[in-house]
Amino acid sequence: MTAGYRIVENARLDARNTFGVAARAPMLVEVSDTSALAELFGYAMLRDGPVLVLGGGSNLLFAGDAPGAVLALSSQRIDIIDNQDDAAIVRADAGVGWHDFVLWTLGHGLCGLENLALIPGTVGAAPIQNIGAYGVEVRDRIRAVHAYDRHDGRVVRIDAAECAFAYRDSLFKHDPDRYVVTAVEFALLRTPDLRLDYAGIREELAAMGIDGTPRASQVAEAVIRVRQRKLPDPALLGNAGSFFKNPIVPAATAETLQAAHPAMPLFRGSSDDTRKLSAAWLIDQCGWKGHRDGDAGVSAEHALVLVNHGHATGLELLDLARRIATSVQDRFGIAIEPEPRIIGATW
Ligand code: EPU
């Protein structure tokens, strides 16, 4: 054990990806103290080669082995760095589990992350794909991201406005080899600013017997109940949540499709002339829900979730994903793209 990190050679990654597929890395570096990053990036393998930063392993598919070193950050500090009467800035280390962090904030009377309860993964991974659920995206609550910048060889603080956040996207996704997120600053509220409009949330609160204005912790509980019902638990059935992003298309394309398929759900896009389609609905219409080829399958509860029933390989899951995308393209003329990062193959 060297101060601040631990190296494992030829490491197995099966238990470090929520699909539970077999994969290896030539070198796995567990980093408990991010001040060791400068020293680590002095080593040839990290300095010159590809480096994969692994959080909870809940948003990637190993279609092959990791091509170079894998970094896993385990730093766990959470600090309130600015405490006001009605708001607070909280800084959490990259290694903190996301759901544990959401519960920590609620336990400290801080609101804003309740709709993001039970999302797998870590705090450090949250800004990378701008995690979102039930009407909230994490960018709504992020003030800044701290990251080790491989170009500059030091930790930089990047203001939220500079992070290029968009639907399931950010600066960190565009340039995956440049930054290692080390901590995130969140701007949270003591008086809730609840978002209850996403389909199913008010109904769930009513089913819990809550009428009137719920507490933020009750909204989190409602979200947890909906997620547990709709999304398979990766601890029981390997999966990486939504495998495809909801496609964003020109409004005219969406309207033509909806005229042909009146039952098709349609959501607002990021601008007036775009719309977001439901990838789950498109896939469902093509008959994939519950489909299974050996151990690679599609969840019977949610058409957007690919599942590993036991010993599927990453390549088998990728092959299934490609066939799903081709069928959606052939039937609806819409290209759907994977949400998780694919390692060892290109889409
Ligand atoms: N639907 C189907 N068939 C299905 C499931 C859903 O037709 O099997 C249709 C229904 O009409 C439903 C609509 O799709 O109303 C939307 O479904 P859902 O509310 O489950 O949302 P989603 O668009 O499929 C997105 C996120 C999820 C997030 C939920 C809730 C993406 C790619 N996925 O799913 O995020 O939890 O909204 O906000 O944006 C993830 O990213 O891993 C993830 C799980």
Side-chain angles (χ1 to χ4, degrees), residues 289-317:
K289 196 147 132 182
H291 178 93
R292 183 169 174 173
D293 288 324
D295 278 348
V298 178
S299 163
E301 276 72 48
H302 203 300
L304 207 45
V305 182
L306 263 58
V307 293
N308 177 5
H309 286 284
H311 297 97
T313 66
L315 275 176
E316 285 166 351
L317 286 157

Side-chain angles (χ1 to χ4, degrees), residues 57-334:
S58 55
N59 201 47
L60 47 77
L61 174 64
F62 284 111
D65 288 335
V70 170
L71 279 186
L73 271 61
S74 58
S75 44
Q76 293 287 332
R77 276 187 76 95
I78 306 176
D79 294 303
I80 297 181
I81 58 174
D82 185 10
N83 207 359
Q84 308 284 332
D85 286 347
D86 55 347
I89 306 294
V90 180
R91 182 195 144 118
D93 277 348
V96 177
W98 177 259
H99 181 60
D100 291 343
F101 178 60
V102 173
L103 296 181
W104 185 97
T105 62
L106 292 169
H108 284 73
L110 294 167
C111 313
L113 299 177
E114 53 279 356
N115 295 43
L116 304 179
L118 210 64
I119 295 182
T122 58
V123 165
I128 294 173
Q129 63 145 345
N130 179 26
I131 57 171
Y134 306 102
V136 173
E137 287 183 338
V138 75
R139 69 162 155 189
D140 305 340
R141 314 299 187 201
I142 287 180
R143 189 173 77 150
V145 175
H146 297 247
Y148 180 81
D149 180 350
R150 289 177 71 185
H151 288 188
D152 283 4
R154 65 189 175 96
V155 173
V156 293
R157 179 183 181 280
I158 307 169
D159 219 68
E162 312 293 312
C163 290
F165 287 128
Y167 168 64
R168 294 297 191 272
D169 199 21
S170 75
L171 166 75
F172 311 104
K173 216 167 168 178
H174 302 167
D175 211 349
D177 287 328
R178 177 161 178 184
Y179 296 105
V180 179
V181 175
T182 56
V184 182
E185 285 176 38
F186 298 88
L188 303 174
L189 299 168
R190 295 202 182 273
T191 311
D193 164 27
L194 299 177
R195 310 255 180 107
L196 305 176
D197 289 337
Y198 194 93
I201 296 301
R202 286 184 203 280
E203 292 80 348
E204 196 64 38
L205 286 162
M208 288 161 61
I210 295 157
D211 35 46
T213 306
R215 293 195 304 274
S217 58
Q218 292 173 320
V219 176
E221 185 57 35
V223 165
I224 290 168
R225 286 167 54 124
V226 172
R227 288 190 77 96
Q228 283 177 334
R229 205 163 50 236
K230 285 197 172 182
L231 297 166
D233 178 353
L236 305 175
L237 184 63
N239 76 87
S242 299
F243 194 86
F244 295 97
K245 290 187 275 192
N246 287 327
I248 296 176
V249 300
T253 308
E255 276 142 30
T256 309
L257 260 180
Q258 205 179 37
H261 308 278
M264 184 186 82
L266 201 54
F267 305 97
R268 272 184 302 126
S270 46
S271 62
D272 282 349
D273 50 2
T274 60
R275 300 286 180 273
K276 198 191 268 182
L277 306 181
S278 163
W281 187 87
L282 297 169
I283 294 167
D284 210 345
Q285 294 302 302
C286 293
W288 289 103
K289 196 147 132 182
H291 178 93
R292 183 169 174 173
D293 288 324
D295 278 348
V298 178
S299 163
E301 276 72 48
H302 203 300
L304 207 45
V305 182
L306 263 58
V307 293
N308 177 5
H309 286 284
H311 297 97
T313 66
L315 275 176
E316 285 166 351
L317 286 157
L318 182 62
D319 176 63
L320 174 60
R322 285 178 174 145
R323 284 183 287 129
I324 291 170
T326 302
S327 73
V328 169
Q329 177 74 51
D330 291 350
R331 171 122 181 239
F332 296 103
I334 299 291

Side-chain angles (χ1 to χ4, degrees), residues 44-68:
M45 189 171 196
L46 282 94
R47 188 186 60 227
D48 304 328
V51 173
L52 171 68
V53 184
L54 200 57
S58 55
N59 201 47
L60 47 77
L61 174 64
F62 284 111
D65 288 335

